Amino acid sequence: EPEVTQTPSHQVTQMGQEVILRCVPISNHLYFYWYRQILGQKVEFLVSFYNNEISEKSEIFDDQFSVERPDGSNFTLKIRSTKLEDSAMYFCASKWGSTDTQYFGPGTRLTVL
Amino acid sequence: QKEVEQNSGPLSVPEGAIASLNCTYSDRGSQSFFWYRQYSGKSPELIMFIYSNGDKEDGRFTAQLNKASQYVSLLIRDSQPSDSATYLCAGGENTGFQKLVFGTGTRLLVSP
């Protein structure tokens, strides 16, 4: 069964450093998402991406964040200058059509020291 | 502000019992609702989705939606210890992009 994959599973970085989190959505999916979950808190929407552009972003998704689909398979989230409060699990999700359900990847645990 | 509210629990039920998980939402624009299961340290795993008022059954799971009351529930029949997890309720708008707004989740403990 096709799955969303994410790498790395765990990323440790120093405050102020740039990180890139990578996702490979399910191959025929057209809608892509990033969510995050701070430990013990709810899953929060960050950004949605469709037709090679951002369709919606949350207040969390400020100028320090960017997303890219550099080729036909990868979907990346970049944080330019990480802060301590960026420490969280980051989940990528994808879906095929507008009425489809979103399928989540296993997540990347980001730890900012 | 669109909110999805859930009791954080834990909800404790014995093995074989029915577990009833509830969720309310504030945004009448939400048209679709999803129940995800999340084991500790893992990603959300889709259990069921429901778009229409009424009940929807899938195996041991039944989702119920009442749009007038802005209320969603999930019933798990014949609960098993492996069902012990956090159950996340999420609402989505009836648009293509359909970001999900999650509740905090209800922790379910099924004792043998």
Side-chain angles (χ1 to χ4, degrees), chain A residues 74-94:
Chain A
N74 291 284
F75 180 50
T76 62
L77 174 69
K78 181 193 290 187
I79 309 175
R80 288 190 184 82
S81 178
T82 49
K83 306 182 185 71
L84 295 176
E85 54 265 36
D86 293 328
S87 295
M89 280 287 282
Y90 287 81
F91 297 111
C92 173
S94 70

Side-chain angles (χ1 to χ4, degrees), chain A residues 36-48:
Chain A
R36 80 171 186 189
Q37 186 176 31
I38 295 170
L39 186 64
Q41 298 187 23
K42 64 175 70 174
V43 176
E44 299 174 290
F45 167 78
L46 291 178
V47 65
S48 58

Side-chain angles (χ1 to χ4, degrees), chain B residues 49-64:
Chain B
F49 61 89
I50 186 166
Y51 297 155
S52 304
N53 274 327
D55 295 0
K56 179 181 178 183
E57 187 174 320
D58 184 1
R60 296 188 296 114
F61 300 94
T62 299
Q64 300 172 317

Side-chain angles (χ1 to χ4, degrees), chain A residues 1-112:
Chain A
E1 186 174 326
E3 293 179 332
V4 178
T5 60
Q6 291 185 244
T7 54
S9 57
H10 190 190
Q11 173 94 45
V12 181
T13 189
Q14 296 290 326
M15 191 170 55
Q17 294 296 304
E18 174 182 288
V19 294
I20 297 176
L21 309 183
R22 302 180 192 280
C23 169
V24 179
I26 295 172
S27 65
N28 63 343
H29 283 192
L30 302 176
Y31 297 79
F32 313 109
Y33 305 82
W34 284 101
Y35 293 83
R36 80 171 186 189
Q37 186 176 31
I38 295 170
L39 186 64
Q41 298 187 23
K42 64 175 70 174
V43 176
E44 299 174 290
F45 167 78
L46 291 178
V47 65
S48 58
F49 192 87
Y50 172 75
N51 199 26
N52 285 318
E53 61 182 22
I54 290 173
S55 49
E56 186 173 358
K57 57 185 180 180
S58 72
E59 293 174 353
I60 302 167
F61 195 89
D62 61 21
D63 292 343
Q64 293 300 313
F65 291 86
S66 62
V67 289
E68 195 176 39
R69 187 154 162 81
D71 52 42
S73 59
N74 291 284
F75 180 50
T76 62
L77 174 69
K78 181 193 290 187
I79 309 175
R80 288 190 184 82
S81 178
T82 49
K83 306 182 185 71
L84 295 176
E85 54 265 36
D86 293 328
S87 295
M89 280 287 282
Y90 287 81
F91 297 111
C92 173
S94 70
K95 67 177 185 178
W96 174 76
S98 59
T99 57
D100 196 11
T101 53
Q102 294 178 32
Y103 293 89
F104 282 72
T108 293
R109 179 172 299 281
L110 176 65
T111 301
V112 182

